[in-house]
mmCIF file of all heavy atoms in Angstrom:
data_model
loop_
_atom_site.group_PDB
_atom_site.id
_atom_site.type_symbol
_atom_site.label_atom_id
_atom_site.label_comp_id
_atom_site.label_asym_id
_atom_site.label_seq_id
_atom_site.Cartn_x
_atom_site.Cartn_y
_atom_site.Cartn_z
ATOM 1 N N PRO F 135 43.406 2.895 -108.126
ATOM 2 C CA PRO F 135 43.311 4.284 -108.454
ATOM 3 C C PRO F 135 43.168 5.178 -107.249
ATOM 4 O O PRO F 135 42.372 4.922 -106.329
ATOM 5 C CB PRO F 135 42.007 4.316 -109.290
ATOM 6 C CG PRO F 135 41.907 2.894 -109.764
ATOM 7 C CD PRO F 135 42.503 2.096 -108.704
ATOM 8 N N LEU F 136 43.991 6.227 -107.205
ATOM 9 C CA LEU F 136 44.072 7.266 -106.064
ATOM 10 C C LEU F 136 44.289 8.649 -106.492
ATOM 11 O O LEU F 136 45.038 8.883 -107.526
ATOM 12 C CB LEU F 136 45.206 6.899 -105.226
ATOM 13 C CG LEU F 136 45.573 7.893 -104.044
ATOM 14 C CD1 LEU F 136 44.373 7.680 -102.968
ATOM 15 C CD2 LEU F 136 46.970 7.617 -103.467
ATOM 16 N N VAL F 137 43.442 9.499 -106.007
ATOM 17 C CA VAL F 137 43.558 10.938 -106.411
ATOM 18 C C VAL F 137 43.708 11.675 -105.056
ATOM 19 O O VAL F 137 42.993 11.408 -104.058
ATOM 20 C CB VAL F 137 42.299 11.432 -107.154
ATOM 21 C CG1 VAL F 137 42.264 12.844 -107.251
ATOM 22 C CG2 VAL F 137 42.213 10.695 -108.519
ATOM 23 N N LEU F 138 44.523 12.750 -104.952
ATOM 24 C CA LEU F 138 44.675 13.556 -103.824
ATOM 25 C C LEU F 138 43.938 14.897 -104.039
ATOM 26 O O LEU F 138 43.859 15.350 -105.138
ATOM 27 C CB LEU F 138 46.108 13.763 -103.586
ATOM 28 C CG LEU F 138 47.079 12.707 -103.304
ATOM 29 C CD1 LEU F 138 48.583 13.140 -102.987
ATOM 30 C CD2 LEU F 138 46.490 11.694 -102.191
ATOM 31 N N GLN F 139 43.304 15.278 -102.915
ATOM 32 C CA GLN F 139 42.657 16.599 -102.915
ATOM 33 C C GLN F 139 43.196 17.503 -101.747
ATOM 34 O O GLN F 139 43.250 17.059 -100.670
ATOM 35 C CB GLN F 139 41.257 16.478 -102.774
ATOM 36 C CG GLN F 139 40.503 17.769 -102.791
ATOM 37 C CD GLN F 139 39.051 17.660 -102.428
ATOM 38 O OE1 GLN F 139 38.567 17.499 -101.334
ATOM 39 N NE2 GLN F 139 38.067 17.577 -103.540
ATOM 40 N N TYR F 140 43.621 18.776 -102.056
ATOM 41 C CA TYR F 140 44.289 19.527 -101.079
ATOM 42 C C TYR F 140 43.121 20.600 -100.721
ATOM 43 O O TYR F 140 42.989 21.525 -101.401
ATOM 44 C CB TYR F 140 45.480 20.301 -101.589
ATOM 45 C CG TYR F 140 46.525 19.294 -102.156
ATOM 46 C CD1 TYR F 140 47.148 19.620 -103.236
ATOM 47 C CD2 TYR F 140 46.796 18.034 -101.509
ATOM 48 C CE1 TYR F 140 48.197 18.573 -103.804
ATOM 49 C CE2 TYR F 140 47.585 17.136 -101.952
ATOM 50 C CZ TYR F 140 48.352 17.473 -103.076
ATOM 51 O OH TYR F 140 49.306 16.489 -103.553
ATOM 52 N N ASN F 141 42.426 20.247 -99.798
ATOM 53 C CA ASN F 141 41.052 20.982 -99.391
ATOM 54 C C ASN F 141 41.491 22.080 -98.464
ATOM 55 O O ASN F 141 42.389 22.189 -97.852
ATOM 56 C CB ASN F 141 40.249 20.001 -98.737
ATOM 57 C CG ASN F 141 38.747 20.651 -98.690
ATOM 58 O OD1 ASN F 141 38.351 21.363 -99.494
ATOM 59 N ND2 ASN F 141 37.959 20.211 -97.724
ATOM 60 N N LYS F 142 40.329 23.032 -98.378
ATOM 61 C CA LYS F 142 40.518 24.239 -97.588
ATOM 62 C C LYS F 142 41.442 25.185 -98.070
ATOM 63 O O LYS F 142 42.107 26.115 -97.225
ATOM 64 C CB LYS F 142 40.704 23.884 -96.024
ATOM 65 C CG LYS F 142 39.721 22.822 -95.484
ATOM 66 C CD LYS F 142 39.768 22.752 -94.032
ATOM 67 C CE LYS F 142 38.913 21.658 -93.440
ATOM 68 N NZ LYS F 142 38.843 21.594 -92.041
ATOM 69 N N GLN F 143 41.776 25.272 -99.363
ATOM 70 C CA GLN F 143 42.613 26.301 -99.879
ATOM 71 C C GLN F 143 42.028 27.649 -99.754
ATOM 72 O O GLN F 143 42.761 28.658 -100.008
ATOM 73 C CB GLN F 143 42.999 25.942 -101.293
ATOM 74 C CG GLN F 143 43.895 24.707 -101.494
ATOM 75 C CD GLN F 143 45.404 25.104 -101.044
ATOM 76 O OE1 GLN F 143 45.856 26.248 -101.224
ATOM 77 N NE2 GLN F 143 46.236 24.138 -100.442
ATOM 78 N N ASP F 144 40.800 27.761 -99.391
ATOM 79 C CA ASP F 144 40.244 29.122 -99.211
ATOM 80 C C ASP F 144 40.736 29.772 -97.859
ATOM 81 O O ASP F 144 40.529 31.013 -97.818
ATOM 82 C CB ASP F 144 38.696 29.018 -99.265
ATOM 83 C CG ASP F 144 38.239 28.043 -97.961
ATOM 84 O OD1 ASP F 144 38.699 26.903 -98.047
ATOM 85 O OD2 ASP F 144 37.590 28.458 -97.129
ATOM 86 N N LEU F 145 41.238 29.096 -96.974
ATOM 87 C CA LEU F 145 41.626 29.816 -95.591
ATOM 88 C C LEU F 145 42.801 30.627 -95.907
ATOM 89 O O LEU F 145 43.436 30.578 -96.872
ATOM 90 C CB LEU F 145 42.001 28.511 -94.729
ATOM 91 C CG LEU F 145 40.773 27.667 -94.235
ATOM 92 C CD1 LEU F 145 41.268 26.560 -93.365
ATOM 93 C CD2 LEU F 145 39.799 28.636 -93.526
ATOM 94 N N PRO F 146 42.914 31.562 -94.922
ATOM 95 C CA PRO F 146 44.065 32.505 -95.072
ATOM 96 C C PRO F 146 45.435 31.887 -95.233
ATOM 97 O O PRO F 146 45.704 30.916 -94.776
ATOM 98 C CB PRO F 146 44.053 33.243 -93.621
ATOM 99 C CG PRO F 146 42.646 33.044 -93.086
ATOM 100 C CD PRO F 146 42.211 31.772 -93.731
ATOM 101 N N ARG F 147 46.189 32.629 -96.084
ATOM 102 C CA ARG F 147 47.415 32.047 -96.574
ATOM 103 C C ARG F 147 48.430 31.602 -95.489
ATOM 104 O O ARG F 147 49.268 30.684 -95.713
ATOM 105 C CB ARG F 147 48.168 32.979 -97.450
ATOM 106 C CG ARG F 147 47.663 33.094 -98.818
ATOM 107 C CD ARG F 147 48.500 33.786 -99.672
ATOM 108 N NE ARG F 147 47.876 33.830 -100.941
ATOM 109 C CZ ARG F 147 48.355 34.409 -102.046
ATOM 110 N NH1 ARG F 147 49.637 34.822 -101.989
ATOM 111 N NH2 ARG F 147 47.698 34.315 -103.189
ATOM 112 N N ASP F 148 48.465 32.410 -94.358
ATOM 113 C CA ASP F 148 49.411 32.118 -93.270
ATOM 114 C C ASP F 148 48.998 30.767 -92.527
ATOM 115 O O ASP F 148 49.789 30.257 -91.641
ATOM 116 C CB ASP F 148 49.632 33.240 -92.267
ATOM 117 C CG ASP F 148 48.139 33.839 -91.852
ATOM 118 O OD1 ASP F 148 47.062 33.589 -92.519
ATOM 119 O OD2 ASP F 148 48.096 34.190 -90.570
ATOM 120 N N LEU F 149 47.710 30.331 -92.698
ATOM 121 C CA LEU F 149 47.304 29.118 -92.147
ATOM 122 C C LEU F 149 47.604 27.773 -92.986
ATOM 123 O O LEU F 149 47.632 26.661 -92.386
ATOM 124 C CB LEU F 149 45.820 29.193 -91.696
ATOM 125 C CG LEU F 149 45.444 30.153 -90.837
ATOM 126 C CD1 LEU F 149 43.853 30.087 -90.498
ATOM 127 C CD2 LEU F 149 46.119 30.079 -89.445
ATOM 128 N N ILE F 150 47.725 28.001 -94.264
ATOM 129 C CA ILE F 150 47.752 26.791 -95.132
ATOM 130 C C ILE F 150 49.105 26.564 -95.917
ATOM 131 O O ILE F 150 49.710 27.545 -95.938
ATOM 132 C CB ILE F 150 46.570 26.807 -96.098
ATOM 133 C CG1 ILE F 150 46.681 28.081 -97.042
ATOM 134 C CG2 ILE F 150 45.145 26.753 -95.322
ATOM 135 C CD1 ILE F 150 45.717 28.015 -98.045
ATOM 136 N N SER F 151 49.153 25.477 -96.371
ATOM 137 C CA SER F 151 50.219 25.171 -97.335
ATOM 138 C C SER F 151 49.742 25.360 -98.723
ATOM 139 O O SER F 151 48.635 24.762 -99.043
ATOM 140 C CB SER F 151 50.896 23.785 -97.115
ATOM 141 O OG SER F 151 51.385 23.678 -95.841
ATOM 142 N N PRO F 152 50.406 26.010 -99.591
ATOM 143 C CA PRO F 152 49.887 26.085 -100.964
ATOM 144 C C PRO F 152 50.021 24.702 -101.699
ATOM 145 O O PRO F 152 50.825 23.851 -101.132
ATOM 146 C CB PRO F 152 50.801 27.072 -101.671
ATOM 147 C CG PRO F 152 52.027 27.108 -100.796
ATOM 148 C CD PRO F 152 51.593 26.643 -99.420
ATOM 149 N N PRO F 153 49.274 24.466 -102.794
ATOM 150 C CA PRO F 153 49.257 23.143 -103.387
ATOM 151 C C PRO F 153 50.623 22.535 -103.722
ATOM 152 O O PRO F 153 50.771 21.356 -103.379
ATOM 153 C CB PRO F 153 48.489 23.372 -104.718
ATOM 154 C CG PRO F 153 47.577 24.443 -104.312
ATOM 155 C CD PRO F 153 48.262 25.511 -103.477
ATOM 156 N N HIS F 154 51.463 23.390 -104.103
ATOM 157 C CA HIS F 154 52.885 22.920 -104.531
ATOM 158 C C HIS F 154 53.666 22.267 -103.286
ATOM 159 O O HIS F 154 54.292 21.276 -103.436
ATOM 160 C CB HIS F 154 53.810 23.730 -105.236
ATOM 161 C CG HIS F 154 54.380 24.903 -104.512
ATOM 162 N ND1 HIS F 154 53.762 26.060 -104.263
ATOM 163 C CD2 HIS F 154 55.501 24.995 -103.863
ATOM 164 C CE1 HIS F 154 54.443 26.894 -103.467
ATOM 165 N NE2 HIS F 154 55.557 26.258 -103.181
#
Side-chain angles (χ1 to χ4, degrees):
Chain F
L136 174 70
V137 169
L138 300 185
Q139 183 185 77
Y140 309 135
N141 193 32
K142 306 199 183 180
Q143 284 289 327
D144 58 300
L145 290 175
R147 282 192 183 187
D148 53 326
L149 295 181
I150 59 167
S151 296
H154 73 273

